Every structure is written in C-alpha cells, then in structure tokens.
Amino acid sequence: MLQTAQRSAKSKTKKAAPLHERFLEAFRWMLLARTLEEKLVSLYRGGLITGGVYIGKGQEAISVACGLFLQKGDIFAPLIRDQAGRSAFGEPLLDVTRTYLGSRLGPMRGRDGNIHRGHPRKNELAMISHLGAMISVTVGALLAKRFKGEKNFVGLASIGEGGMQTGSFHEGMNIAAVEQVPLVVVATNNHYAYSTPNDREFACHDLVDRALGYGFEGYSLDGTDLAACLDVIGSAVKRARAGRPPQLVVASVLRLSGHGEHDDASYVTEEIKQQPFARDCLKVAEQTIIDLNLSDAETLAEWRKHAAAQVDEAIASAQKEPAPEGDKEDWCALSTRDLVDSFE
Amino acid sequence: MSITYLEAIREAQAKLLRDDERVFIYGQDVGGTFGGAFKATKGLAKEFPGRVLNTPISEDAIVGTAIGAAMQGMRPIVEMQFADFSSIALNQILNNAGTHHWRTGMPVPITVRLPSGGTKGSGPFHSQSMESIYAHYPGLIVMTPATVEDAYTMLIEAVAIDDPVIYCEHKYLYYHLKADKLPEKGLPTGRARIAREGRDLTIVSYSAMVQESLAAAEELAREGFEVEVVDLRTVKPLDTDTVLASVARTGRLLCVGESFPWGGATAEVIARVTSQGFHLLDAAPQRLNAKDTPIPYHPNLWSAHRPNAQHIATKARALLRE
Ligand SMILES: Cc1ncc(C[n+]2csc(CCOP(=O)(O)OP(=O)(O)O)c2C)c(N)n1
C-alpha cells in the first residue's frame, strides 16, 4: 500500500534535541559550504573563475541532510546546489576548488567544470547538465547492486522543481518504482527555475502529490529548518534502506542567490522574499544553536575560522597547480585506445 | 543446420548471459514468454531468470538505468524496440554515456541494440538508420554488421568492449540472411572486410547495403566489370586504411548507405578518401543514399526511396564509364 503522507513541517519537527550532535555536525558542513561558495563568488567576481559559479545559498540545510545519512556503498547523485551535501558525503574541498579553478589535477582535469563534477568510483555521480537525466542513472546503479547481491544500500538523487518537469525525470521516477529500488529523491522547490516562477512551471496543487502517482511515498518539508531536514530526509533514507518503496521529499525554500553568479535575480519579487520559506536556513540553524544553548559563541566563531582556513587552503593549493594544456591533452573519448577513430 | 541473422543475435545473447554474470538484457517486451518484438530474446528470460527484464516505454530511463548499472560493473544490453525510438534516448546515449569516460575517467560499457533500417510497409517511424547520428558524437563505437557471422561475433565483442557500443542490426537481414554455422571468432572490431574482390571499382558499404552492393556487383560482373565491395563492419571507428587500399587498386569509389543523404557515414568515407587519397582516384567519388524525405510506407515508394541493387548498379555503371 502506497500512500502520500503529507505532513506539515511543524507537526513533526522536534527541535534539534536529542539529536543535537548531528545537528551541530550538519551545521558545520553548512557553514563550510557557505564559506566556500562565498569565496568562489568573490573569485568569480575577480575574474579568476572561467565559466559560471552556481551556489546553494539557502539550500544548505536540505543538501547537507542529503549527504549526511548516506553510508559507504550508497549512491549520491547531487545537482546544482548541493555543495553542503557533497561535502557531507565525503567530497574533498580540493575537488571543488580544482574543478572551479581548472586544475589539471582535479577529478575533471579541465574537461568539465564547476558543478559538473563527481567521483563515480566513489559513488558520487557526475551530473550532466540535462536535468532529470541522473534519476535513472541512480536507479541503474542500485539495480546493479541488487544484481551483485549487495545489501543495505540506498541511492539519493537531487532535483529542483524545474528539473521535475522534464520527461527524463518522469521516466526515471516511474522506472525507479517499477524496479522498486531503494531510492530517495529530494526535490527542492526554490520557487524559481532560473527566472521562471512556479506558476509557469507546473499547475498541480502540490508537487508532493505526484509521489502517489509514481508509486513513491511522499513527504513535504520546510527546507529552512535544519532539524526538519535531518528528520524528514533521514527518515526517508532509513525507510528506503529498510525496503520501503522509493521516497520523494519535496522541500520548500527560496533560492537566496541568482541562478548563477552572472544573474542578479532582479525578477525575484519582494513579496516572495517575505514568505516564511525565504528565511536563510543557516541563520535559522545558528539561532537554534544559540536558543537551545547547543554551543557557545566562542565555539561558533572558532568553527567559522576553521571553515575559512580550510577553504583558503583548498583554494591556495588549487591555484598553484598546473592548468591543462591543449597539446598535452590526449583528446581521446574512448577508454579502448585501439578503437579510437583517427582523423587526419 | 542453417542459422539466420536474427538467430545469431539471439545466440550471441544466450552465450553472453551464460558466460558472463555481469550481463543482463533490458528493454521493452524482451522478457516473459514473449522475447521481444522481433524475438531476438526468445526463451532467454526462461533460461536466465531475472536477467532479461521488461521495461516501461521509457527509452531515456532504460538507457539511463543501463548507464548506472554499467558504472557499478554490470554489462547491460539494451534492446530498443526499433532504432527510431532511440531518438528518445539520445540524451542519455550522447551526453551521458558518450561523455562519461572523457569527463570522469570511468567508461560506461553499455551495448544498445538498434533494430534498424527499412522493411516494406514500416513507414517513417519504424525504418530508420541512425548510425550516422551516433557516429557523429564522440565517445561511442558504432557497429553495423552485414552478415550472420558478424551479427554473432560483433555482438559478443560489443559487450566485451569497455566503452558504449551502438549495435545497429538490420531488420531486413533478420530473416533474409542465413549461414551454416556460427564462427568462434571474427575480424577485430574496427577492421573492414573485403566482401568481394575486384579491380574496376570500389563500393564501400555497411549493414544491409552490403548485400545490395554484392548483388549489384554480380550484375555488373555479367557485363564484364570487376567490382570490389568493402564492408565497413563498424562505421566508427572507420577503417580508412582498408578503404584507401581498395581505392588504390580500383581508382574508383562509390559509397552506399541506407540512411538519409545529408552528411553521414558515406560522406565521411568520401571526405577521407579525397583528402588522404586524392591521387588514387581516376574519377570523382560518388555516393548513394536514401532520399531526403521521411521513409515512405507503401512498398512502391519504399523501394524507390532506398538504394537497392539496381540503383547501385546504375550508379556504378555511370562511374565506370567516366
Ligand atoms: C533539460 C535542461 N533544460 C534546460 C537546462 C538549463 N537550465 C539549467 S538550470 C535551469 C533551472 C533549473 O531549475 P530547478 O530545476 O528548479 O533548479 P534550481 O536551479 O532552481 O536549483 C535551467 C533551465 C538544463 N540544464 N537542462
């Protein structure tokens, strides 16, 4: 029996305690992601990053919860705004700075940039731009694990409400349910797909209602509330791991940046900025820490300093590294070298 | 014993499933007792339980799933019901599978089987030949077997290759081609085959057009011309050396393909021969493709749309007279 369980964030949010250790851990990943991305933005503004910079400001609470509950052997398919989740999943900061700064030593070696990075051998899938495409890829990875007789694994794929409107996403959700793989899809409705507001993206009452149609179990989430994110996403991961049907979590936030750093987001209305979902999850989480006395101001300042130092180090190392060079590149798209076509 | 091109494809898959536990087959109607729209997987679901799986009508997700499974060490074989429907999966094939090794250093060993090409009455959406689209994009190998033996050994080879392979199997050949037995081993992947020797003209072809070209060569032989027929076997990589060596013997080149005329495999062959072997040519190289319209339904129109032995012979005669 599949049911769409819609719960309001309020009714199920037990404020932080007794899980405050996890809350603080999550907060530190969020802080690291925010610190890193702020730094990337300033490098971009200074002309030191080629291409775009896409940040997850305002979505760190959701993202960190996506990475935090995954274990060794689990699959993570992050998307555009998942710095916090990638870090929590285990992506080294150096991967990020090397990719953004175009180091030859990074995982993408200058062949791809910014958010289009990953470590498929470590189960962090490298997204392609085409939204929706990574859902079925995650399904396939899980199917393979089942074929191989592995146990106790899950996969988690991110998507935005914009990407949810692609045919690829729909096909991926359907095939996930047909295959009954242990998949969690975390959809973040940040109320804009680039400049397009929700009313030109979809016309259903609530995106979480779609869970029922796909054969998923669905949950709604206030993405500005870290405790709720940890609870709802953590529980979804647990249910998937326990063999429940695939899980859809739809989180609500506002994107607190442009689509990318080239975008001033002047289309975001003043009205929407006043909505409860427009709160900054990092500030809300920090307030919770102070209100509940989970940590003190000194420790918070210490964490901030530590995050900045880590980021500075990752940037400084990547900046010292060699850039890729056209005449040293092997220009070979196949792994089977003797099957490479030769063009003269 | 006699075995058809279609049976060879089925036998290759049976062998692959038997010999390699990483292999599974994924596609519409391939499983159960049905065994695929063309029966290329008939009986395999029963013989290999849980490894020949029916899918929803979701070409994008079918290939996406295969890609994910390949990343985890499996060797999926995807059957498209018709090559034409692989257009829905273009994104996964070209942008995901085709870029993955380049971007991440991890190849994606999927095999996508495309029942390709025209048969009478199949119309615009069940007749297409898509090899040129796939060959245009980096990161893919594109196979176009023209014989029963190649249908068998090349499919086995496709699954062994660590990179994504588009395997174009021709529907017209399914039942029309027969062989006495299946070989243990074929030519290496990427090597073209001289299907018939001759010294007056080289016809370069692949897939079902090899059979039409051989029939044309037979007809021309009665008129005293010795036509050499080169079967490319894979259109990517393209065996330029074998083609150039043949043109060096004959001085004349005609390329024949069943796909649409703009660009494509035949144009690629001509581009390579003119740029690398211009001095070998005694006449301007020619090519023959289908017409630049959708593929017609009616047999009268269909047989005029697609190159056949008569069209090829006519074109060859003109070239031989030059
Ligand atoms: C299939 C596809 N079409 C268009 C784009 C270009 N594009 C990149 S991000 C984006 C907006 C995505 O919105 P959403 O999925 O809600 O994610 P968000 O950026 O809001 O996090 C668009 C249109 C794309 N990447 N993929």
Side-chain angles (χ1 to χ4, degrees):
Chain A
M1 286 280 276
L2 306 177
Q3 277 210 333
T4 298
Q6 279 194 61
R7 308 197 230 148
S8 81
K10 239 187 254 152
S11 67
K12 72 189 152 23
T13 306
K14 292 187 218 92
K15 279 271 178 197
L19 301 166
H20 72 272
E21 289 298 332
R22 180 137 266 177
F23 188 95
L24 292 176
E25 184 193 356
F27 175 78
R28 291 192 69 178
W29 288 123
M30 292 166 67
L31 189 62
L32 182 65
R34 181 72 64 93
T35 309
L36 169 65
E37 292 192 330
E38 278 170 358
K39 193 77 195 188
L40 291 172
V41 169
S42 68
L43 290 173
Y44 174 81
R45 301 251 156 90
L48 295 171
I49 289 177
T50 313
V53 170
Y54 302 85
I55 65 171
K57 187 174 180 186
Q59 302 188 192
E60 293 95 337
I62 302 162
S63 181
V64 73
C66 290
L68 210 55
F69 297 97
L70 300 181
Q71 304 165 359
K72 196 169 173 342
D74 290 342
I75 307 285
F76 185 31
L79 229 53
I80 322 176
R81 310 197 191 279
D82 271 319
Q83 186 53 56
R86 289 176 191 254
S87 291
F89 186 67
E91 178 190 63
L93 282 187
L94 203 50
D95 273 16
V96 191
T97 55
R98 281 172 160 171
T99 306
Y100 265 109
L101 292 163
S103 160
R104 191 166 75 207
L105 308 181
M108 312 313 282
R109 299 156 293 159
R111 294 175 176 191
D112 208 340
N114 49 65
I115 51 183
H116 303 92
R117 63 176 194 273
H119 259 305
R121 284 197 171 81
K122 295 182 190 160
N123 293 346
E124 182 201 344
L125 304 187
M127 62 175 278
I128 63 168
S129 290
H130 303 63
L131 296 167
M134 300 311 290
I135 303 289
S136 60
V137 175
T138 311
V139 172
L142 299 173
L143 196 65
K145 284 176 168 288
R146 186 193 291 159
F147 269 123
K148 293 190 288 184
E150 292 179 28
K151 296 263 185 301
N152 201 35
F153 55 85
V154 296
L156 188 149
S158 279
I159 193 80
E161 90 290 348
M164 278 182 91
Q165 316 314 326
T166 63
S168 189
F169 176 80
H170 171 69
E171 289 194 9
M173 294 295 278
N174 183 61
I175 212 162
V178 167
E179 297 295 3
Q180 284 295 299
V181 286
L183 175 69
V184 180
V185 172
V186 176
T188 300
N189 181 2
N190 62 14
H191 291 84
Y192 288 88
Y194 206 153
S195 76
T196 304
N198 277 185
D199 67 344
R200 296 300 300 169
E201 297 190 80
F202 55 88
C204 58
H205 168 68
D206 188 332
L207 289 171
V208 80
D209 293 344
R210 292 188 185 173
L212 188 60
Y214 287 128
F216 275 52
E217 294 178 342
Y219 295 85
S220 301
L221 171 62
D222 171 2
T224 66
D225 180 341
L226 175 58
C229 291
L230 295 173
D231 176 21
V232 174
I233 295 173
S235 304
V237 168
K238 206 180 277 173
R239 278 190 299 272
R241 211 185 287 286
R244 298 288 306 161
Q247 306 281 312
L248 173 67
V249 175
V250 179
S252 187
V253 287
L254 184 66
R255 196 187 69 209
L256 300 182
S257 63
H259 170 63
E261 286 313 300
H262 56 280
D263 172 25
D264 68 4
S266 52
Y267 46 80
V268 175
T269 63
E270 282 312 312
E271 193 195 340
I272 210 165
K273 288 179 189 166
Q274 305 312 317
Q275 296 295 320
F277 59 73
R279 300 187 301 173
D280 179 345
C281 61
L282 189 69
K283 286 196 185 135
V284 175
E286 185 168 346
Q287 196 58 51
T288 304
I289 292 172
I290 293 163
D291 290 350
L292 299 184
N293 211 8
L294 300 179
S295 186
D296 54 39
E298 248 166 69
T299 311
L300 283 171
E302 194 53 44
W303 288 351
R304 230 175 226 110
K305 233 168 77 189
H306 184 61
Q310 281 177 277
V311 167
D312 287 344
E313 191 191 320
I315 287 169
S317 315
Q319 277 176 330
K320 280 194 245 91
E321 290 175 359
E325 291 171 53
D327 56 3
K328 289 191 187 139
E329 178 60 65
D330 75 356
W331 300 113
C332 179
L334 296 178
S335 72
T336 318
R337 294 189 157 263
D338 57 351
L339 291 182
V340 173
D341 208 356
S342 62
F343 298 87
E344 279 174 28
Chain B
M1 186 190 118
S2 143
I3 183 157
T4 64
Y5 183 95
L6 178 63
E7 285 161 350
I9 290 167
R10 187 201 167 281
E11 287 308 311
Q13 293 179 106
K15 179 178 164 54
L16 286 160
L17 286 162
R18 206 177 301 123
D19 293 353
D20 188 345
E21 62 180 15
R22 302 170 303 169
V23 172
F24 70 100
I25 299 178
Y26 210 52
Q28 292 150 25
D29 304 300
V30 296
T33 52
F34 191 68
F38 297 99
K39 307 291 171 223
T41 57
K42 193 167 174 53
L44 297 181
K46 187 157 179 237
E47 197 177 337
F48 302 98
R51 296 173 65 197
V52 183
L53 300 174
N54 279 342
T55 63
I57 307 171
S58 303
E59 286 77 7
D60 180 295
I62 292 167
V63 174
T65 301
I67 290 170
M71 287 179 189
Q72 290 289 320
M74 301 297 286
R75 294 273 158 158
I77 301 174
V78 167
E79 175 178 304
M80 287 289 157
Q81 198 148 71
F82 287 80
D84 315 49
F85 301 118
S86 74
S87 58
I88 307 297
L90 277 178
N91 183 48
Q92 293 286 8
I93 297 173
L94 306 176
N95 290 315
N96 222 341
T99 66
H100 202 261
H101 174 256
W102 165 259
R103 294 169 63 236
T104 69
M106 180 199 257
V108 175
I110 61 170
T111 298
V112 184
R113 289 181 36 233
L114 304 185
S116 305
T119 49
K120 276 178 211 146
S122 296
F125 310 117
H126 292 75
S127 306
Q128 293 169 23
S129 300
M130 313 241 329
E131 67 283 349
S132 296
I133 287 179
Y134 292 110
H136 180 69
Y137 272 76
L140 307 169
I141 287 162
V142 185
M143 297 183 169
T144 49
T147 66
V148 176
E149 292 84 352
D150 273 352
Y152 180 72
T153 57
M154 288 171 77
L155 184 50
I156 292 168
E157 183 71 10
V159 173
I161 290 171
D162 286 339
D163 294 290
V165 177
I166 307 301
Y167 176 93
C168 305
E169 53 196 57
H170 202 288
K171 301 198 295 290
Y172 186 78
L173 302 182
Y174 273 168
Y175 318 101
H176 285 84
L177 276 192
K178 291 195 174 73
D180 291 336
K181 62 177 175 38
L182 294 173
E184 286 284 309
K185 230 175 137 47
L187 285 176
T189 300
R191 180 87 57 79
R193 174 180 73 99
I194 306 293
R196 179 187 175 113
E197 290 185 3
R199 53 184 166 79
D200 298 327
L201 163 73
T202 297
I203 299 181
V204 172
S205 186
Y206 55 95
S207 190
M209 286 299 124
V210 172
Q211 305 304 331
E212 300 294 333
S213 300
L214 287 170
E218 196 58 41
E219 191 177 320
L220 292 162
R222 290 196 284 274
E223 299 163 25
F225 296 113
E226 290 180 29
V227 173
E228 181 147 304
V229 177
V230 177
D231 170 9
L232 288 176
R233 298 178 68 251
T234 64
V235 302
K236 193 174 189 181
L238 202 157
D239 184 357
T240 315
D241 291 348
T242 297
V243 172
L244 283 171
S246 176
V247 175
R249 289 190 285 276
T250 64
R252 286 178 159 73
L253 172 65
L254 170 62
C255 296
V256 185
E258 187 175 332
S259 54
F260 301 123
W262 202 98
T266 55
E268 183 66 29
V269 171
I270 292 193
R272 292 190 190 195
V273 171
T274 45
S275 63
Q276 295 174 46
F278 192 66
H279 59 288
L280 305 173
L281 290 162
D282 296 329
Q286 299 295 319
R287 66 195 190 108
L288 190 58
N289 282 86
K291 291 189 193 304
D292 190 25
T293 68
I295 301 157
Y297 152 77
H298 195 280
N300 292 351
L301 299 181
W302 176 75
S303 36
H305 182 270
R306 160 191 198 258
N308 61 24
Q310 285 73 48
H311 302 145
I312 298 169
T314 306
K315 190 91 178 174
R317 264 183 221 108
L319 180 53
L320 282 159
R321 275 197 295 270
E322 284 211 9

